[in-house]
Amino acid sequence: MKLSKEEQEVNISFSPNEGNAVIYTSYPSWIRKMDKLVALNPAGFKCIKSDSISKTYVMPKEFISIRTKKRTMHLTEEQKAQLAERLAKS
């Protein structure tokens, strides 16, 4: 079963008394991202539930942060040329 974009979601929940956060997601890119984190850091990230359209993960709540401004990249012309060259090689 495949969900429409409107049906896909990510829910992050935690309470002040607990050390862990629970992430439920049915959004495919978040599932891939979280699966990579589980593989890279199995002590910190765990998949605790999985079905055909969603997964639920647990992780330390201190890993969660909110950005206060959008990240911008200020590249020099030389850096842009290096990036273009790397992209052309791949």
Side-chain angles (χ1 to χ4, degrees), residues 7-47:
E7 295 172 313
Q8 296 173 7
E9 63 183 355
V10 177
N11 292 312
I12 302 171
S13 61
F14 58 88
S15 71
N17 299 341
E18 297 179 14
N20 288 326
V22 176
I23 299 176
Y24 164 84
T25 183
S26 58
Y27 188 37
S29 66
W30 268 70
I31 291 173
R32 287 189 300 273
K33 182 182 299 200
M34 293 302 298
D35 284 346
K36 285 179 185 177
L37 291 171
V38 169
L40 290 171
N41 184 358
F45 296 86
K46 292 185 180 9
C47 179

Side-chain angles (χ1 to χ4, degrees), residues 63-74:
F63 288 1
I64 296 172
S65 67
I66 298 173
R67 295 185 188 136
T68 57
K69 54 183 158 177
K70 191 173 181 175
R71 183 178 172 184
T72 58
M73 292 183 67
H74 300 286

Side-chain angles (χ1 to χ4, degrees), residues 71-87:
R71 183 178 172 184
T72 58
M73 292 183 67
H74 300 286
L75 300 175
T76 65
E77 291 304 318
E78 182 180 340
Q79 290 170 322
K80 288 178 187 177
Q82 289 172 348
L83 285 173
E85 187 177 318
R86 273 190 276 173
L87 283 172

